[in-house]
């Protein structure tokens, strides 16, 4: 009987680990190749992990809620379909030819050792640490005992990415002899941790951090209410939105654009495009095309901030907000949007929107965005003040297209006519984007929309 280790797959270029949300199969269940076996959450998206081979699920190696490093074993599959255990040695002999994503159980000791290194112990205090923080701690050789002393500035004393990186920096700069000459009762704690603890006193103790939350009076509700617990993604969105407002001073500029030419052009081509391609021709790819052109004119919009440095991105990866079946919003992005024509952008937009509605987006779809557009007009809103997607520095909301009477200038004089207008709302990070740049950028996008070439084909 052949036994194969199923490992945590690589789910994106920057994804180093995932949290097991739910096992979809039980021990002893028959599974088909590519059939979903468990649900995994990363810091970007929730996804299902398929079986790398068909057979019987022999053993589950990680439990729901566990944080597992990419490449670590998560389950054992009996590939010949039998559900009876076999001796370890024959299993190792029969499993050298496993699927590429699997590792044969010919080296159990090494696999166990790697798994042990990849995972920190559970915190004794019950303090929560995000997968990103735990990953940084592992890379820097910080034990769970030492991590407990890191002051957290997040909600309920949680350690943020900034907190752990600040601690790592102070840890590297701490004098090597700081702990040696003084034998104090706290000598068993790392020198850098004690130094940080002394500087931040009560905040350095996890127990002290939990105290304010414990003393907070219980909320009381009057009237007929329903209490709905946020799902994991909604909590993650909430944390990121609060963090963005805390980090970036938001400023919003507005421009009203005459998009009559775009409306007339789309009305001319949408039916033919639907028949030819079997897909809808929407306004979104036209908006993205105009934004990509404006970014090339104003490249300092396509930046991010890293401490005291401004990182200018040469790739133009434009994110678009997509509504999930749960009602939450997620932002996949179109890589190198400036290199695609309208037909290519339409294909990309439709693909991301469809996979988003089916919960089929991957972490790579969400990674690497440099600018974001949100179509609030799809909800009938004429304008909005969107929140920046960190670490980007700007985001644009496009409003609903409305007919309005307008003054039309002609060689024979001014006339009153019916035109199609929409508002563009540009929110930007005032740390690095001044009002002149933010205002000129949104005006340039409007110019590209208003000067749309009605003679082009698709």
């Amino acid at each position: 009987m052949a036994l194969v280790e199923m490992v945590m797959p690589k789910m994106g270029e920057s994804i180093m680990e995932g949290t097991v949300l739910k096992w979809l199969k039980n021990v002893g269940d028959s599974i088909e190749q590519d059939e979903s076996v468990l649900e995994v959450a990363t810091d970007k998206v929730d996804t299902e992990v398929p079986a790398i081979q068909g057979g019987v699920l022999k053993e589950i190696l990680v439990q729901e809620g566990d944080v597992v490093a990419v490449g670590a074993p998560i389950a054992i599959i009996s590939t010949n379909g039998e559900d009876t255990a076999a001796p370890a040695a024959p299993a190792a002999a029969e499993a050298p030819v496993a699927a590429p994503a699997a590792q044969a159980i010919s080296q159990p000791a090494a696999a166990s050792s790697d798994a042990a290194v990849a995972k920190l112990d559970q915190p004794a205090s019950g303090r929560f640490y995000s997968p990103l923080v735990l990953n940084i701690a592992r890379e820097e050789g910080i034990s769970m005992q030492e991590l407990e002393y890191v002051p957290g500035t997040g909600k309920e004393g949680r350690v943020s990415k900034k907190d752990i990186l600040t601690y790592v920096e102070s840890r590297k700069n701490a004098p090597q002899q700081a702990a040696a000459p003084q034998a104090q009762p706290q000598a068993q704690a790392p020198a850098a941790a004690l130094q940080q603890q002394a500087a931040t006193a009560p905040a350095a103790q996890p127990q002290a951090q939990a105290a304010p939350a414990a003393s907070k009076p219980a909320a009381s509700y009057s009237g007929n209410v329903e209490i709905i617990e946020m799902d994991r993604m909604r909590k993650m969105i909430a944390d990121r939105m609060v963090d963005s407002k805390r980090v970036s001073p938001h400023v919003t500029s507005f421009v009203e654009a005459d998009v009559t030419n775009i409306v007339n052009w789309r009305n001319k081509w949408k039916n033919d495009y639907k028949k030819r391609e079997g897909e809808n021709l929407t306004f979104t790819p036209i908006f993205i095309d105009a934004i990509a052109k404006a970014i090339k004119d104003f490249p300092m919009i396509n930046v991010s901030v890293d401490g005291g440095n401004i990182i200018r991105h040469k790739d133009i990866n434009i994110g678009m907000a997509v509504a999930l079946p749960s009602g939450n919003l997620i932002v996949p992005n179109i890589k190198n949007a400036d290199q695609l024509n309208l037909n290519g952008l339409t294909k990309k937009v439709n693909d991301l929107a469809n996979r988003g509605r089916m919960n089929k987006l991957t972490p790579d779809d969400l990674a690497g965005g440099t600018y974001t557009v949100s179509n609030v007009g799809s909800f009938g809103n004429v304008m909005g003040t969107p929140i920046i997607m960190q670490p980007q520095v700007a985001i644009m909301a496009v409003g609903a297209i409305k007919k309005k009477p307008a003054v039309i200038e002609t060689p024979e004089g001014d006339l009153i006519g019916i035109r199609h207008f929409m508002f563009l709302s540009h929110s930007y990070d005032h740390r690095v984007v001044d009002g002149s740049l933010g205002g000129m950028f949104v005006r340039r996008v409007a110019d590209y929309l208003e000067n749309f070439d009605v003679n082009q084909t698709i």
Side-chain angles (χ1 to χ4, degrees):
M1 177 178 63
L3 298 181
V4 173
E5 272 187 353
M6 182 175 173
V7 301
M8 179 66 77
K10 185 174 178 62
M11 293 170 288
E13 183 177 350
S14 61
I15 305 300
M16 303 302 296
E17 60 195 1
T19 302
V20 178
L21 290 181
K22 181 181 180 181
W23 281 96
L24 305 176
K25 295 291 184 178
N26 298 315
V27 173
D29 286 353
S30 296
I31 52 178
E32 301 291 335
Q33 185 171 352
D34 297 327
E35 183 179 6
S36 296
V37 179
L38 72 159
E39 293 179 357
V40 173
T42 70
D43 62 347
K44 297 183 182 296
V45 70
D46 297 349
T47 188
E48 295 180 353
V49 176
I52 43 87
Q53 286 194 357
V56 172
L57 183 58
K58 293 291 298 178
E59 186 178 355
I60 291 176
L61 303 178
V62 293
Q63 302 304 312
E64 294 179 0
D66 286 353
V67 178
V68 185
V70 169
I74 57 177
I76 295 177
I77 298 175
S78 170
T79 59
N80 62 3
E82 296 181 9
D83 59 359
T84 56
E94 295 178 22
V97 187
Q103 294 179 352
I105 309 183
S106 57
Q107 298 176 338
S112 300
S113 175
D114 291 343
V117 172
K119 186 173 180 181
L120 290 171
D121 295 332
Q122 294 297 320
S125 66
R127 192 185 193 192
F128 173 81
Y129 298 102
S130 70
L132 178 60
V133 169
L134 291 174
N135 186 54
I136 294 174
R138 274 194 296 271
E139 292 177 351
E140 298 296 334
I142 299 174
S143 67
M144 181 56 69
Q145 180 183 1
E146 183 177 353
L147 191 58
E148 294 278 76
Y149 285 91
V150 177
T153 60
K155 184 178 179 182
E156 299 179 358
R158 290 183 180 180
V159 177
S160 66
K161 176 184 178 181
K162 182 178 179 181
D163 295 332
I164 186 68
L165 292 179
T166 299
Y167 174 75
V168 168
E169 188 64 25
S170 66
R171 188 173 184 257
K172 291 178 179 178
N173 296 333
Q176 296 297 323
Q177 67 277 16
Q182 299 179 356
Q184 298 179 352
Q186 293 177 322
Q188 69 274 12
L194 291 177
Q195 183 185 51
Q196 191 79 349
Q197 182 182 6
T200 55
Q205 292 288 347
Q207 293 82 355
Q209 293 169 345
S215 62
K216 183 179 178 180
S220 60
Y221 306 96
S222 60
N224 189 15
V225 302
E226 178 186 4
I227 299 175
I228 303 173
E229 183 179 0
M230 292 184 187
D231 59 29
R232 194 194 71 87
M233 182 167 287
R234 175 49 56 184
K235 290 179 181 177
M236 184 169 63
I237 292 172
D239 289 342
R240 288 179 177 176
M241 294 299 98
V242 171
D243 188 57
S244 181
K245 294 291 284 187
R246 178 184 62 82
V247 170
S248 300
H250 284 55
V251 177
T252 306
S253 297
F254 303 90
V255 167
E256 189 174 28
D258 184 340
V259 293
T260 306
N261 289 342
I262 293 174
V263 173
N264 292 337
W265 181 86
R266 175 179 174 269
N267 288 339
K268 174 182 176 181
W269 287 99
K270 65 179 182 180
N271 291 332
D272 290 342
Y273 190 83
K274 178 72 172 181
K275 291 178 182 178
R276 188 181 80 231
E277 304 291 340
E279 299 182 22
N280 293 325
L281 176 60
T282 66
F283 290 110
T284 300
I286 301 175
F287 300 151
I288 292 176
D289 181 59
I291 290 171
K293 291 176 180 176
I295 288 175
K296 297 185 79 169
D297 295 338
F298 297 97
M300 289 307 292
I301 285 290
N302 201 48
V303 304
S304 58
V305 179
D306 181 15
N309 298 321
I310 298 175
I311 311 301
R312 185 165 71 85
H313 304 286
K314 296 183 179 180
D315 293 333
I316 299 177
N317 303 333
I318 299 181
M320 47 176 273
V322 174
L324 297 176
S326 62
N328 295 323
L329 287 178
I330 199 166
V331 185
N333 65 82
I334 299 174
K335 306 292 194 296
N336 298 308
D338 58 312
Q339 299 179 21
L340 299 173
N341 60 19
L342 269 183
N343 187 45
L345 288 172
T346 300
K347 296 287 186 180
K348 287 287 188 180
V349 166
N350 290 340
D351 172 60
L352 292 175
N354 291 334
R355 287 196 288 120
R357 284 188 282 266
M358 296 186 294
N359 283 325
K360 297 297 184 182
L361 292 172
T362 68
D364 279 341
D365 292 325
L366 310 177
T370 61
Y371 190 93
T372 299
V373 58
S374 178
N375 189 352
V376 299
S378 61
F379 309 113
N381 303 149
V382 295
M383 67 174 66
T385 54
I387 297 177
I388 299 166
M389 289 282 297
Q390 296 296 326
Q392 300 168 29
V393 299
I395 180 173
M396 185 171 295
V398 292
I401 298 175
K402 300 288 186 181
K403 289 183 180 180
K404 293 182 180 181
V407 176
I408 305 173
E409 296 180 358
T410 70
E412 291 76 26
D414 294 342
L415 301 174
I416 298 294
I418 303 300
R419 306 290 290 179
H420 292 82
F421 285 90
M422 66 178 294
F423 281 102
L424 306 176
S425 309
H426 187 217
S427 294
Y428 43 93
D429 187 338
H430 213 3
R431 293 179 301 168
V432 294
V433 181
D434 294 328
S436 58
L437 174 58
M440 287 190 295
F441 178 80
V442 66
R443 181 63 256 177
R444 184 61 56 85
V445 174
D447 290 341
Y448 279 120
L449 295 176
E450 291 181 343
N451 297 318
F452 183 81
D453 181 10
V454 297
N455 295 317
Q456 65 179 300
T457 60
I458 185 171

